[in-house]
Amino acid sequence: RVAGGAAGAAPRVAVRASLLVGADGLFSRVRAALQGSPGGGVDLERINDYSTTNWNAILRHAAIPGPPVVPRGESRILNLASPKLSCYLVDCGEGELFWQIRQADAAWGHAQRGAGLGRPGIKARLLSLFDEAEAAAGVGARDILRVIRATAEEGIFERRIFDTQPLPAWSSAAGRVTLLGDAAHALHPTPGQGANQAFEDAAA
């Protein structure tokens, strides 16, 4: 059933179903409705914000000028104190390199909502962070600068780091509404368990 909305707004669609699986991510409206959030809004009180921004990308080793930044089959970690950055370079096989950068910065982190791939200006922001860090970190930061410069902006993924507090239940009393993945239990990405837990949810 399609109902008219406010002037200029997209029409609202009502769907009847015997089962609803809320797999709508960290800011799940299904979870909020299931937990009784007023008006079906996002239940922000259950979301933990680590005031940390994460950037990552994958590119070909051959695209990076100069000597290899990491040996085949190995990885490098670089932690900087000022600005506070954690940097990872990982050879992921087949001639490709994965890189990841995290910045603990409440002002910057709170300014960024959600996640996005290839956000305009993000590459310049990253380069400016490492220009600040280069003198303190030496050759390691210069290697990461080479990697960022060789990465196309549209291939850089940005997100803030969140997780959620445990829920007393993931399903409605009648069993017709349930949650899956980040909607039920968003995890900090360090354990690398996000997708694994979603598969377990589906199996359960």
Side-chain angles (χ1 to χ4, degrees):
R1 181 170 60 86
V2 179
R12 298 169 61 186
V13 179
V15 178
R16 295 184 62 86
S18 57
L19 175 67
L20 171 62
V21 178
D24 51 341
L26 173 73
F27 297 100
S28 170
R29 292 189 177 275
V30 177
R31 180 184 68 238
L34 199 58
Q35 300 301 312
S37 181
V42 176
D43 51 348
L44 293 175
E45 70 278 0
R46 288 196 174 275
I47 298 173
N48 302 314
D49 185 343
Y50 287 85
S51 297
T52 299
T53 307
N54 184 99
W55 300 273
N56 57 264
I58 295 176
L59 75 161
R60 304 290 298 175
H61 281 282
I64 306 167
V69 294
V70 62
R72 179 176 295 181
E74 296 186 17
S75 61
R76 291 174 65 187
I77 299 175
L78 176 66
N79 293 306
L80 308 181
S82 181
K84 192 173 182 181
L85 300 171
S86 297
C87 315
Y88 307 86
L89 299 172
V90 182
D91 174 62
C92 49
E94 302 296 330
E96 292 188 320
L97 174 81
F98 168 82
W99 63 259
Q100 176 177 277
I101 298 165
R102 287 185 185 164
Q103 181 191 25
D105 182 332
W108 174 252
H110 284 291
Q112 304 302 303
R113 294 290 302 184
L117 181 66
R119 287 179 164 175
I122 195 56
K123 184 172 180 177
R125 167 65 174 168
L126 280 168
L127 290 172
S128 72
L129 291 177
F130 276 87
D131 287 342
E132 296 170 18
E134 186 172 354
V139 66
R142 289 195 290 273
D143 283 346
I144 295 174
L145 271 167
R146 285 199 287 134
V147 170
I148 297 170
R149 288 172 178 145
T151 305
E153 182 168 74
E154 57 267 25
I156 300 174
F157 184 73
E158 175 187 75
R159 60 177 171 169
R160 286 164 64 189
I161 302 299
F162 299 97
D163 64 14
T164 51
Q165 299 172 23
L167 292 170
W170 298 348
S171 300
S172 64
R176 294 181 60 187
V177 181
T178 192
L179 301 172
L180 184 147
D182 280 356
H185 44 62
L187 301 172
H188 192 287
T190 296
Q193 287 297 306
N196 290 344
Q197 293 298 312
F199 290 139
E200 289 191 20
D201 291 347

